[in-house]
Amino acid sequence: MKMLLKQRYLVGKRITSTLTASCGLPSFSSNSKDYQTLYLVLEACRHSSNSKTAIETHARIIKFGYGDYPTLITSLVSTYQRAGCLNHVNRLLGLLCSKHLDLVAMNIFIENFMKIGEYKFAKKVFYKMPYRDVITWNSIIGGCVKNACYEEAFRFFSEMLISNIQPDGFTFASILKASAQLGALSNAQSVHAIMTEKKVELNSILNSALIYTYSKCGSIQIAKEIFSSVPHSDISVWNAMIKGLAIHGLAMDALLVFSMMERDSVRPDAVTFLGTLTACNHGGLVEQGRKYFDWMRSRYSIEPQLEHYGVMVDLYSRAGFLEEAYSTIKAMPIEPDVVTWRTLLSGCKIYRNQELAEVAIANISDLKSGDYVLLSNIYCSFHRWEYAETVREMMKHKGVRKNCGKSWIELAGSIHKFKSGDRSHPEINAVYEVLGSLIKRTRSEGYMPVTEFVFMDISEEEKEENLSFHSEKLALAYAILKTSPGEKISISKNLRICDDCHRWIKLVSRVLCRVIVVRDRIRFHQFEGGMCSCGDCW
């Protein structure tokens, strides 16, 4: 790490000297204040796509002798790209990828492009490099993960494996995170097998990553086995296990792990309490949640942060204690963020509290699509159609579209994705045929679509059709099409599962005698025999 920092310190001078020489420019002495000012101006230009100021700033960068320092050129390229100045982009990238820049410089450029979300430019630099070291691969793989390009991260990881560069602990930590986000168990198992084959030394970071990855991929039992077999000296291992149990709704197991920590004299930190409170939230354990929240200050002198307050607001809201949730927000010593108010708004939808819902909305300055939908649903539940219509008109006027539900399922090492109402999958006709058959069968078992919260400007039949083609239903139909009777099915989803799909999948699990696991944005739901592991608390 020290060597890398030293390289980064020296690389700026090498790049400046190379580029200024190639441009025939004299060298100037550096002034950190000038550098910081130029960087801040560029960042402002980048976010506003101000090409005129960017060009003027570019001239000053060269004048002051900074040439093209990594942080400045990445921000500059991004600014020009957003402003549509593609000629400047191509010129700078051409200069950047010239033979004058060494491996260390190129690695830093990749890392910086990834930091500001310019994934495509990072790839361009990567593919222009004549050779790459482990830092290069780690930068591109880690950058893909940070930018939520998880499948691309696996593609680069596969390329790395067939190269002459051996992955290290940083590589595996990144690719395990990608596995966790995808919920792809076979990928996680493959990565774990490669780590074993290459005899990678497992430190606390990798042990924690393995525990959490298996948890996120639905294999909580394997996560428990790993936890039991590794040293518990580092708190990150405990935190990974508590978080893993929490997302599976195994609240009492998570609280037991917390007790084990105390018994082993391992002092919990803020992350520990966040996982523990989340477990209480997912288990609907209001009293236990209050206790652990109080313990943060009284027993461990840990000041609750915004996230801890947010979980408590969610816990109270989902348990129906809306006034207590609101009191918690008002008592916060820090300014509540929009997520906290949205949490209260979500609780108001469940318990149909219009008054508090409007208070929450009034405190959300930048309304997103989900906020409009929640408020519209609340008005619909009170049969206040005129208010619901006003909300929908606001959405249309502002060009706000409802977030699209996406679900995916891993079969035979491949990931199959579906969007609500999707018809792009190559086997979609067979999927719709299976889905239609399932809906017909569940109707005979008492299933009635929950149309209450579907937008009210369409007929009842259209509402039912809208619900029938939710992404998780399409993914489930495809899984049934492709798997054997009795085989467990695992689905991942980008949003919280809706009430209609939750009720329907419970019935499907009973009718087909199948275990169906759905990992939504918040937690795991294991459906079996007509019941869900969440106890209908999500």
Side-chain angles (χ1 to χ4, degrees):
M1 180 60 72
K2 287 182 179 179
M3 173 102 34
L4 180 60
L5 290 173
K6 185 176 180 181
Q7 288 175 333
R8 289 180 178 179
Y9 174 78
L10 296 173
V11 74
K13 291 184 178 180
R14 291 204 298 274
I15 295 171
T16 299
S17 130
T18 300
L19 294 179
T20 52
S22 67
C23 296
L25 298 170
S27 295
F28 293 85
S29 60
S30 296
N31 182 308
S32 60
K33 289 184 179 179
D34 288 340
Y35 179 90
Q36 286 297 324
T37 301
L38 291 169
Y39 175 72
L40 291 173
V41 170
L42 271 183
E43 282 297 282
C45 293
R46 188 166 73 87
H47 291 293
S48 64
S49 302
N50 187 333
S51 60
K52 181 180 178 182
T53 305
I55 291 170
E56 293 173 354
T57 307
H58 191 181
R60 285 183 169 83
I61 288 171
I62 296 174
K63 176 183 177 182
F64 293 147
Y66 293 108
D68 286 284
Y69 272 31
T71 50
L72 294 179
I73 191 173
T74 49
S75 185
L76 193 57
V77 169
S78 180
T79 302
Y80 283 147
Q81 188 269 337
R82 294 186 184 196
C85 302
L86 299 184
N87 56 329
H88 292 303
V89 171
N90 293 331
R91 183 171 61 83
L92 283 171
L93 285 177
L95 188 60
L96 167 63
C97 296
S98 70
K99 61 183 179 181
H100 301 294
L101 298 181
D102 61 19
L103 180 64
V104 176
M106 300 292 265
N107 286 343
I108 293 176
F109 277 115
I110 290 174
E111 183 180 340
N112 284 348
F113 274 128
M114 286 298 194
K115 273 183 183 176
I116 62 173
E118 296 293 359
Y119 165 72
K120 291 181 180 178
F121 293 143
K123 279 177 61 176
K124 284 185 178 181
V125 175
F126 179 84
Y127 284 119
K128 288 283 187 180
M129 296 174 70
Y131 59 95
R132 307 171 185 104
D133 62 5
V134 68
I135 297 175
T136 314
W137 288 100
N138 286 348
S139 295
I140 198 75
I141 292 170
C144 286
V145 174
K146 286 176 184 176
N147 287 279
C149 300
Y150 306 119
E151 291 178 83
E152 193 83 338
F154 271 100
R155 190 177 65 76
F156 279 115
F157 180 64
S158 298
E159 289 181 21
M160 183 182 188
L161 291 176
I162 60 176
S163 72
N164 294 322
I165 305 298
Q166 292 299 312
D168 61 11
F170 292 103
T171 319
F172 285 112
S174 291
I175 208 64
L176 282 172
K177 186 174 181 180
S179 300
Q181 294 303 316
L182 285 172
L185 181 59
S186 65
N187 284 354
Q189 291 171 325
S190 297
V191 172
H192 194 182
I194 292 167
M195 292 170 68
T196 303
E197 176 192 334
K198 294 185 177 296
K199 299 179 180 179
V200 175
E201 184 178 352
L202 295 178
N203 54 26
S204 60
I205 294 174
L206 291 177
N207 284 329
S208 303
L210 282 168
I211 292 167
Y212 192 58
T213 298
Y214 276 113
S215 300
K216 288 280 282 184
C217 292
S219 235
I220 191 65
Q221 189 55 43
I222 297 179
K224 287 180 178 180
E225 291 168 4
I226 294 172
F227 176 73
S228 299
S229 66
V230 302
H232 295 160
S233 55
D234 195 282
I235 194 170
S236 63
V237 175
W238 294 93
N239 289 347
M241 190 71 258
I242 290 174
K243 284 195 298 181
L245 293 166
I247 61 174
H248 280 268
L250 300 171
M252 299 310 297
D253 288 359
L255 301 188
L256 178 61
V257 173
F258 186 95
S259 298
M260 291 167 58
M261 279 184 68
E262 291 191 310
R263 184 196 65 199
D264 290 358
S265 300
V266 177
R267 186 178 178 82
D269 61 10
V271 176
T272 315
F273 276 104
L274 186 59
T276 305
L277 292 173
T278 300
C280 293
N281 186 16
H282 290 171
L285 306 177
V286 176
E287 290 306 317
Q288 289 91 331
R290 281 198 189 101
K291 180 182 76 172
Y292 287 103
F293 187 71
D294 290 341
W295 277 8
M296 290 184 69
R297 285 197 186 98
S298 63
R299 186 178 286 198
Y300 292 103
S301 300
I302 297 173
E303 191 63 31
Q305 300 300 307
L306 188 60
E307 296 83 359
H308 302 97
Y309 283 105
V311 175
M312 289 305 295
V313 171
D314 199 25
L315 173 58
Y316 291 138
S317 298
R318 297 201 166 274
F321 301 150
L322 297 179
E323 290 297 337
E324 193 161 354
Y326 183 41
S327 296
T328 300
I329 294 176
K330 289 192 293 184
M332 287 172 60
I334 46 183
E335 186 72 21
D337 64 354
V338 292
V339 176
T340 306
W341 288 110
R342 284 178 186 140
T343 299
L344 177 62
L345 182 61
S346 182
C348 291
K349 171 202 163 186
I350 297 170
Y351 295 99
R352 303 184 179 187
N353 189 318
Q354 180 181 335
E355 183 181 351
L356 269 183
E358 290 176 342
V359 171
I361 283 290
N363 283 278
I364 301 175
S365 57
D366 183 20
L367 293 178
K368 303 297 183 185
S369 64
D371 306 321
Y372 287 106
V373 172
L374 278 174
L375 187 58
S376 177
N377 287 346
I378 291 167
Y379 286 137
C380 288
S381 69
F382 281 102
H383 295 184
R384 303 293 297 274
W385 313 129
E386 70 280 12
Y387 288 95
E389 180 62 29
T390 299
V391 174
R392 292 197 298 277
E393 287 301 320
M394 287 171 61
M395 291 179 70
K396 290 177 184 177
H397 177 71
K398 295 185 177 182
V400 177
R401 296 179 62 87
K402 185 177 178 181
N403 288 336
C404 179
K406 299 176 185 177
S407 297
W408 57 96
I409 184 165
E410 181 194 13
L411 293 172
S414 296
I415 294 175
H416 299 266
K417 300 178 180 179
F418 298 88
K419 292 187 293 186
S420 291
D422 195 6
R423 289 194 172 272
S424 62
H425 194 278
E427 297 180 80
I428 197 62
N429 290 334
V431 170
Y432 273 83
E433 187 176 337
V434 171
L435 181 56
S437 175
L438 276 174
I439 290 174
K440 185 177 180 180
R441 191 168 173 185
T442 52
R443 276 185 179 277
S444 68
E445 294 290 327
Y447 166 65
M448 289 294 294
V450 184
T451 61
E452 181 180 7
F453 295 131
V454 179
F455 279 0
M456 304 305 295
D457 53 357
I458 57 177
S459 69
E460 195 70 17
E461 185 178 343
E462 288 175 310
K463 292 177 195 174
E464 292 186 12
E465 184 176 350
N466 177 290
L467 292 169
S468 296
F469 304 137
H470 278 190
S471 62
E472 55 266 58
K473 288 178 179 170
L474 295 173
L476 177 54
Y478 183 71
I480 291 169
L481 177 68
K482 291 296 182 178
T483 58
S484 304
E487 189 176 340
K488 183 178 177 181
I489 295 172
S490 295
I491 298 167
S492 295
K493 180 177 171 61
N494 68 324
L495 302 175
R496 213 169 231 179
I497 189 170
C498 75
D499 188 36
D500 179 74
C501 288
H502 194 269
R503 295 185 190 188
W504 183 73
I505 296 175
K506 283 201 295 184
L507 265 177
V508 172
S509 72
R510 191 184 76 198
V511 168
L512 299 185
C513 299
R514 301 284 289 263
V515 175
I516 303 166
V517 178
V518 177
R519 188 192 80 175
D520 71 6
R521 184 175 59 85
I522 303 297
R523 58 169 296 158
F524 277 89
H525 300 261
Q526 180 160 314
F527 300 91
E528 187 172 5
M531 305 292 287
C532 180
S533 60
C534 75
D536 296 338
C537 173
W538 83 100

